[in-house]
Amino acid sequence: YERTCSYLCRKTNSVVVCVGYRLAPEHPFPAQFEDCLTAAVHFLRTAPEHGVDPSRVVVCGDSSGGTLTAAVAQALVNRRDLPKLRAQILIYPFLQCVDLNLPSYQQNEGVPILLKERTLVLGLKYVNKDLCLIKDVFKGCHVSEDLRLKYQKWVSPDYIPQEFKTRGYKPSPTYPPSKEVCEVAEAMFDPVFSPLLAEDSVIAQLPETFLLTCEFDVLRDDGLLYKKRLEDHGIKVTWCHLEEGFHGTV
């Protein structure tokens, strides 16, 4: 990422701080989030020492880095001891593990580099869960009835615009939840892992957002759903959709 960060630094005339957070599975979840949050808090406190206006700090990340960016932005909304973030930049982020059969997951399940199955394998390894859960999670058996009712107002194909459903999408059958699988999968609904599931009181305080989605990406609809949630709460969103883009295109 050094070349990408150097490019951003030159082109935007900004100070760019790249967080070398610890990686899973050697360092289990949520060490990665804690490292990013620690770095963000430290930089907000010491920004003037780096020639930076503390009111103009932006957090940014792509893919799982976009997940961490969203989680850090959420963690900072109630910090009265720190300057407010100026904005967040989310580049094709992973944002939820409630529904892995959204239109983008169906349409792009075999599109490199982020295949549908690989997405879940990486997620399960991240939270240190057994990979034998894969089939049950794809069916939605990891979501209890209570949580299904709670999350359906935020995560549903109904909120994906019709133009994104024309490329071979079929509504998925509903399978009953498995108590055993629900208990094991509980960590996957933590907003640090699935920022789309944060409460309204948090979403409503988030900073202005730039959001990038790619058409040929299983995570496209995560971005579309988060865009809707932010806009529903009056957060200004600049949305860029790459019609020929794929995951990892940056």
Side-chain angles (χ1 to χ4, degrees):
Y1 274 79
E2 187 172 344
R3 288 186 66 176
T4 304
C5 291
S6 297
Y7 178 82
L8 286 171
C9 187
R10 286 198 313 275
K11 289 291 185 180
T12 64
N13 192 29
S14 303
V15 172
V16 174
V17 180
C18 186
V19 184
Y21 57 85
R22 291 168 293 169
L23 301 178
E26 294 82 3
H27 301 280
F29 170 85
Q32 300 70 23
F33 162 73
E34 290 165 355
D35 288 353
C36 291
L37 181 60
T38 299
V41 168
H42 177 72
F43 189 75
L44 284 165
R45 284 181 175 151
T46 60
E49 296 173 24
H50 303 280
V52 172
D53 178 346
S55 70
R56 298 184 67 189
V57 175
V58 177
V59 286
C60 171
D62 74 309
S63 194
S64 56
T67 314
L68 292 165
T69 297
V72 166
Q74 291 179 3
L76 292 173
V77 297
N78 289 317
R79 292 290 294 262
R80 302 289 172 245
D81 58 324
L82 296 168
K84 291 280 188 194
L85 289 175
R86 173 63 185 86
Q88 61 175 345
I89 296 174
L90 307 177
I91 301 170
Y92 39 70
F94 170 93
L95 296 171
Q96 62 85 32
C97 206
V98 173
D99 188 345
L100 299 181
N101 287 299
L102 291 168
S104 62
Y105 268 102
Q106 290 189 24
Q107 295 160 342
N108 303 309
E109 65 177 343
V111 177
I113 54 173
L114 193 62
L115 310 178
K116 176 175 173 175
E117 187 164 317
R118 181 178 290 168
T119 307
L120 187 51
V121 166
L122 292 172
L124 290 170
K125 285 184 175 179
Y126 181 37
V127 287
N128 201 23
K129 300 299 178 188
D130 197 316
L131 298 185
C132 70
L133 292 176
I134 285 179
K135 285 186 178 175
D136 287 325
V137 174
F138 278 144
K139 287 180 176 178
C141 301
H142 64 305
V143 189
S144 69
E145 289 295 347
D146 288 349
L147 290 181
R148 194 167 285 173
L149 284 170
K150 178 180 181 180
Y151 296 146
Q152 67 183 7
K153 62 182 182 290
W154 302 331
V155 184
S156 168
D158 295 345
Y159 302 134
I160 303 300
Q162 192 58 39
E163 67 258 33
F164 294 104
K165 296 178 180 176
T166 55
R167 196 163 48 88
Y169 164 67
K170 291 180 182 174
S172 300
T174 303
Y175 294 91
S178 158
K179 189 167 184 251
E180 184 183 352
V181 176
C182 289
E183 287 172 0
V184 176
E186 197 174 341
M188 298 164 81
F189 304 124
D190 184 333
V192 170
F193 183 86
S194 295
L196 184 59
L197 307 182
E199 297 297 332
D200 287 338
S201 57
V202 172
I203 299 290
Q205 298 182 72
L206 287 169
E208 184 175 346
T209 301
F210 176 91
L211 180 65
L212 183 134
T213 55
C214 292
E215 178 61 30
F216 298 100
D217 180 6
V218 289
L219 302 183
R220 180 197 70 202
D221 294 350
D222 283 24
L224 295 177
L225 292 173
Y226 205 47
K227 173 179 179 284
K228 180 182 187 302
R229 281 206 74 193
L230 291 165
E231 290 177 338
D232 284 350
H233 286 278
I235 309 299
K236 183 181 177 186
V237 178
T238 301
W239 174 49
C240 175
H241 181 66
L242 302 183
E243 292 189 359
E244 295 183 1
F246 53 89
H247 196 84
T249 202
V250 165

